[in-house]
Short mmCIF file of all heavy atoms in Angstrom, two decimals:
data_model
loop_
_atom_site.label_atom_id
_atom_site.label_comp_id
_atom_site.label_asym_id
_atom_site.label_seq_id
_atom_site.Cartn_x
_atom_site.Cartn_y
_atom_site.Cartn_z
N GLY A 237 6.60 22.99 23.85
CA GLY A 237 7.28 22.01 23.00
C GLY A 237 7.76 20.80 23.77
O GLY A 237 8.09 19.77 23.17
N SER A 238 7.79 20.88 25.08
CA SER A 238 8.22 19.74 25.89
C SER A 238 7.06 18.82 26.25
O SER A 238 7.26 17.87 27.01
CB SER A 238 8.93 20.23 27.16
OG SER A 238 10.17 20.82 26.81
N ALA A 239 5.89 19.10 25.74
CA ALA A 239 4.73 18.26 26.05
C ALA A 239 3.87 17.94 24.83
O ALA A 239 3.34 16.84 24.70
CB ALA A 239 3.84 18.95 27.09
N LEU A 240 3.75 18.92 23.92
CA LEU A 240 2.74 18.78 22.86
C LEU A 240 3.06 17.67 21.85
O LEU A 240 2.15 17.04 21.31
CB LEU A 240 2.57 20.12 22.13
CG LEU A 240 1.94 21.21 22.99
CD1 LEU A 240 2.10 22.58 22.34
CD2 LEU A 240 0.47 20.92 23.22
N GLY A 241 4.35 17.43 21.59
CA GLY A 241 4.72 16.40 20.62
C GLY A 241 4.37 15.01 21.13
O GLY A 241 3.78 14.20 20.41
N ALA A 242 4.73 14.74 22.38
CA ALA A 242 4.43 13.42 22.94
C ALA A 242 2.92 13.20 22.98
O ALA A 242 2.43 12.11 22.69
CB ALA A 242 5.03 13.29 24.34
N ARG A 243 2.20 14.26 23.34
CA ARG A 243 0.74 14.10 23.40
C ARG A 243 0.17 13.86 22.00
O ARG A 243 -0.73 13.04 21.81
CB ARG A 243 0.11 15.32 24.04
CG ARG A 243 -1.40 15.16 24.14
CD ARG A 243 -2.09 16.39 24.64
NE ARG A 243 -2.02 16.53 26.07
CZ ARG A 243 -1.86 17.69 26.70
NH1 ARG A 243 -1.72 18.80 26.01
NH2 ARG A 243 -1.84 17.75 28.01
N ALA A 244 0.68 14.59 21.01
CA ALA A 244 0.18 14.41 19.64
C ALA A 244 0.41 12.97 19.18
O ALA A 244 -0.49 12.34 18.58
CB ALA A 244 0.87 15.39 18.69
N LEU A 245 1.60 12.44 19.45
CA LEU A 245 1.88 11.05 19.06
C LEU A 245 0.96 10.07 19.79
O LEU A 245 0.43 9.13 19.20
CB LEU A 245 3.34 10.70 19.38
CG LEU A 245 4.43 11.37 18.54
CD1 LEU A 245 5.82 10.92 19.03
CD2 LEU A 245 4.28 11.03 17.05
N ALA A 246 0.78 10.32 21.09
CA ALA A 246 -0.03 9.39 21.89
C ALA A 246 -1.48 9.38 21.39
O ALA A 246 -2.07 8.31 21.21
CB ALA A 246 0.03 9.77 23.36
N THR A 247 -2.03 10.55 21.16
CA THR A 247 -3.44 10.58 20.72
C THR A 247 -3.57 9.95 19.34
O THR A 247 -4.56 9.28 19.04
CB THR A 247 -3.95 12.04 20.70
OG1 THR A 247 -3.68 12.62 21.97
CG2 THR A 247 -5.44 12.10 20.42
N ALA A 248 -2.57 10.16 18.51
CA ALA A 248 -2.64 9.62 17.15
C ALA A 248 -2.47 8.09 17.14
O ALA A 248 -3.13 7.40 16.36
CB ALA A 248 -1.57 10.26 16.27
N LEU A 249 -1.59 7.58 17.98
CA LEU A 249 -1.15 6.19 17.79
C LEU A 249 -1.61 5.21 18.86
O LEU A 249 -1.46 4.00 18.69
CB LEU A 249 0.38 6.16 17.66
CG LEU A 249 0.92 7.03 16.50
CD1 LEU A 249 2.44 7.02 16.48
CD2 LEU A 249 0.38 6.55 15.16
N LEU A 250 -2.15 5.72 19.96
CA LEU A 250 -2.69 4.80 20.97
C LEU A 250 -4.21 4.73 20.80
O LEU A 250 -4.80 5.64 20.22
CB LEU A 250 -2.35 5.32 22.38
CG LEU A 250 -0.85 5.47 22.70
CD1 LEU A 250 -0.67 6.04 24.11
CD2 LEU A 250 -0.13 4.13 22.56
N PRO A 251 -4.82 3.67 21.31
CA PRO A 251 -6.28 3.59 21.17
C PRO A 251 -6.97 4.75 21.90
O PRO A 251 -6.43 5.26 22.88
CB PRO A 251 -6.62 2.26 21.86
CG PRO A 251 -5.35 1.53 22.02
CD PRO A 251 -4.24 2.53 22.03
N PRO A 252 -8.16 5.14 21.44
CA PRO A 252 -8.90 6.19 22.15
C PRO A 252 -9.17 5.76 23.59
O PRO A 252 -9.31 4.57 23.87
CB PRO A 252 -10.22 6.30 21.38
CG PRO A 252 -10.04 5.55 20.12
CD PRO A 252 -8.88 4.62 20.28
N HIS A 253 -9.24 6.72 24.48
CA HIS A 253 -9.49 6.46 25.92
C HIS A 253 -8.49 5.44 26.46
O HIS A 253 -8.83 4.56 27.25
CB HIS A 253 -10.93 5.98 26.14
CG HIS A 253 -11.96 6.87 25.53
ND1 HIS A 253 -12.12 8.19 25.90
CD2 HIS A 253 -12.86 6.67 24.53
CE1 HIS A 253 -13.08 8.75 25.17
NE2 HIS A 253 -13.53 7.85 24.33
N TYR A 254 -7.27 5.57 26.02
CA TYR A 254 -6.20 4.62 26.35
C TYR A 254 -6.10 4.34 27.85
O TYR A 254 -5.99 3.20 28.27
CB TYR A 254 -4.88 5.21 25.82
CG TYR A 254 -3.64 4.48 26.22
CD1 TYR A 254 -3.27 3.30 25.58
CD2 TYR A 254 -2.82 4.98 27.23
CE1 TYR A 254 -2.11 2.63 25.94
CE2 TYR A 254 -1.66 4.32 27.60
CZ TYR A 254 -1.31 3.14 26.96
OH TYR A 254 -0.17 2.47 27.31
N ASN A 255 -6.15 5.41 28.66
CA ASN A 255 -5.96 5.22 30.10
C ASN A 255 -7.08 4.41 30.75
O ASN A 255 -6.92 3.91 31.85
CB ASN A 255 -5.86 6.58 30.82
CG ASN A 255 -4.47 7.19 30.68
OD1 ASN A 255 -3.59 6.59 30.07
ND2 ASN A 255 -4.28 8.37 31.24
N LEU A 256 -8.21 4.33 30.05
CA LEU A 256 -9.33 3.57 30.62
C LEU A 256 -9.28 2.09 30.21
O LEU A 256 -10.08 1.30 30.68
CB LEU A 256 -10.66 4.18 30.17
CG LEU A 256 -10.92 5.62 30.62
CD1 LEU A 256 -12.29 6.08 30.15
CD2 LEU A 256 -10.84 5.72 32.14
N THR A 257 -8.36 1.75 29.33
CA THR A 257 -8.28 0.34 28.90
C THR A 257 -7.51 -0.48 29.95
O THR A 257 -6.79 0.08 30.79
CB THR A 257 -7.59 0.22 27.52
OG1 THR A 257 -6.26 0.73 27.64
CG2 THR A 257 -8.33 1.00 26.46
#
Side-chain angles (χ1 to χ4, degrees):
S238 291
L240 292 167
R243 181 186 280 142
L245 290 178
T247 308
L249 301 176
L250 300 178
H253 308 298
Y254 172 78
N255 280 359
L256 297 182
T257 61

